[in-house]
Amino acid sequence: MKPSIDVIIPVYKPDSGLRQLLKGLMEQTLLPEHILLVNTEESYFDPSVLEGIRNVQVIHIKKREFDHGGTRHMAAGMLSGEFLLFMTQDAQPADGRLLEELYRPFSQERVSVSYARQKPKPGCRETERYTRSFNYGGTDRIKTKEDLPELGIKTFFCSNVCAMYRREDYEAMGGFPRPAIFNEDMIFAGRAIMKGKAVAYCSRAVVLHSHNYTGIQQFKRNFDLGVSQADHPEVFETVPSESEGIRLVKQTAGYLIKRRKPWLLPGLVYQSGCKYLGYRMGKRYRKLPLWVIRRCTASVSYWDMR
C-alpha cells in the first residue's frame, strides 16, 4: 500500500529554486500527499512560484516567530501523513526516486529517520565539494547506539535539508526541540538513537545542495552549532565534535595536495579557523554578554525569544 508522505519546507524570500524543487517533487515515483510551505514574511513571497503546481499549501509567519524546531513542529501538527519529509528551499531532487529511496529503510521498524545524500551544485568551490563527499558517502548505513564507539558524533548525523521521519516515532519522542537555534535534526536523531531507534543514511536518495559560505558566515553558523550542543548535553556531552572536524580538515588538505591545488590551502585554514572559533565561542555562550552573542549568531531572532 502506498504510504502517505507530507512534505514541509520552511521558506524565506523564495526564488526560482523553490519552483524547481516543487516541480521535482511532483515528478517523483512516489508522490507526496501534501506539500506545506511555511513562509517567513508574506511580503517576500511571490505566488508565481506555485503556478501549475498542485497540492501546495502556504502559511505565513513573522520573522520573529521563526524557530528551527518550533516552526517545523507547528507545521507537522497541521498535517496527518504517516511520514514527514522536511526539506530546505535550496535543495533540489537529483532524480525522480528521492522519496522512494528515503521511504525504503522504513521497512525496518526500528528506523525512525532517513536522510538523503547531498551532492554539490554547479559552481560549488573545491573545498566545499570535498566536504559533501566527506559527510555524504556512497554507502547506505543504518545507525544505532551500537555504532557510537566507531562513529562517534557521526552516529547522530542527520540533516533536515532532506530527511524523512516516521510520524509515530516523531510524536512519541515529542518532536523537535523547541526552541532550537539550529541542529534540531541531529538533536532528534540523537534522542531517537539513545532510545534504541535507528537512523538511516540513504546514499541513493540524492539532493543537490551546497553553499559557498564566507568565513564570517561559517563563524556564525558554527557559533549556533556550538550553542545547540551546549543546550543539549544529554545528546552531545559524550560524543565531542572536535575530532571529526580535525579529521575533515586533514583529509581536505590531503585532497587539495593530491589534486595539485596547494594555493587553496590558505583558504581552507582560514575557513576552518572561522568554524572552530565560532564553535568554541558557541559552546561557551553562557559566559558572553548578550551584545556579543548577537554579533556572533546567525539567528538573532532566537535570542529575542529567550
Side-chain angles (χ1 to χ4, degrees):
M1 186 172 66
K2 175 189 170 186
S4 60
I5 302 171
D6 292 331
V7 181
I8 295 169
I9 308 172
V11 175
Y12 182 59
K13 295 184 178 180
D15 56 18
S16 59
L18 175 61
R19 180 170 178 80
Q20 186 177 346
L21 165 56
L22 295 174
K23 290 178 68 176
L25 290 174
M26 291 296 98
E27 295 169 354
Q28 295 292 305
T29 55
L30 184 58
L31 292 172
E33 291 285 329
H34 302 96
I35 300 174
L36 176 60
L37 307 182
V38 185
N39 176 66
T40 299
E41 297 297 344
E42 186 171 2
S43 60
Y44 294 145
F45 189 81
D46 180 2
S48 67
V49 301
L50 302 182
E51 288 180 3
I53 300 174
R54 297 174 299 141
N55 294 333
V56 179
Q57 179 186 357
V58 184
I59 62 171
H60 301 283
I61 62 174
K62 298 294 184 181
K63 191 172 182 179
R64 66 177 180 273
E65 297 172 328
F66 178 80
D67 170 65
H68 280 275
T71 298
R72 288 176 168 87
H73 185 73
M74 176 269 293
M78 298 178 64
L79 299 167
S80 58
E82 300 170 82
F83 297 90
L84 299 164
L85 173 58
F86 293 92
M87 297 188 70
T88 56
Q89 69 186 61
D90 55 353
Q92 303 294 336
D95 56 39
R97 298 179 63 86
L98 176 64
L99 270 67
E100 182 179 342
E101 294 294 344
L102 284 171
Y103 172 68
R104 191 183 305 278
F106 289 103
S107 61
Q108 300 185 44
E109 289 188 10
R110 63 177 178 166
V111 172
S112 294
V113 190
S114 68
Y115 68 100
R117 184 179 187 181
Q118 296 181 31
K119 289 188 175 182
K121 290 183 175 181
C124 177
R125 64 171 170 243
E126 195 82 16
T127 51
E128 177 65 13
R129 186 175 297 276
Y130 183 78
T131 299
R132 296 294 104 181
S133 64
F134 179 88
N135 287 327
Y136 302 95
T139 304
D140 290 359
R141 182 145 191 174
I142 305 293
K143 299 181 293 183
T144 67
K145 188 161 53 175
E146 287 68 39
D147 292 305
L148 281 166
E150 176 191 352
L151 298 180
I153 190 71
K154 274 287 187 71
T155 311
F156 301 153
F157 191 76
C158 180
S159 175
N160 271 348
V161 164
C162 185
M164 186 179 291
Y165 296 73
R166 192 191 301 270
R167 176 184 285 278
E168 181 180 2
D169 290 350
Y170 176 85
E171 292 180 347
M173 284 179 274
F176 297 125
R178 305 177 294 281
I181 189 171
F182 190 56
N183 221 21
E184 77 291 337
D185 35 24
M186 279 189 68
I187 294 167
F188 181 90
R191 288 173 173 174
I193 283 172
M194 296 309 291
K195 287 182 178 292
K197 296 292 185 176
V199 172
Y201 169 59
C202 307
S203 64
R204 290 174 293 179
V206 181
V207 292
L208 304 181
H209 178 263
S210 57
H211 292 284
N212 290 325
Y213 286 129
T214 66
I216 296 300
Q217 287 173 320
Q218 294 282 23
F219 173 89
K220 293 189 172 196
R221 178 179 174 84
N222 281 269
F223 179 87
D224 291 352
L225 174 64
V227 170
S228 75
Q229 293 194 10
D231 282 349
H232 293 280
E234 78 282 3
V235 176
F236 298 106
E237 195 170 60
T238 58
V239 282
S241 302
E242 287 90 337
S243 58
E244 189 67 13
I246 292 170
R247 190 167 74 92
L248 171 59
V249 174
K250 287 181 177 179
Q251 291 195 16
T252 305
Y255 167 80
L256 294 176
I257 292 170
K258 186 177 180 179
R259 296 273 294 178
R260 298 182 180 179
K261 294 184 178 181
W263 61 86
L264 296 178
L265 289 172
L268 171 64
V269 172
Y270 169 68
Q271 291 268 331
S272 301
C274 289
K275 289 180 181 179
Y276 184 72
L277 180 60
Y279 172 75
R280 296 304 297 176
M281 289 183 66
K283 288 276 283 188
R284 292 163 171 77
Y285 81 91
R286 292 185 179 91
K287 298 181 179 180
L288 301 175
L290 182 58
W291 70 268
V292 172
I293 291 173
R294 292 174 68 89
R295 293 291 295 273
C296 293
T297 184
S299 307
V300 175
S301 60
Y302 172 81
W303 301 98
D304 293 335
M305 292 188 292
R306 287 173 69 97

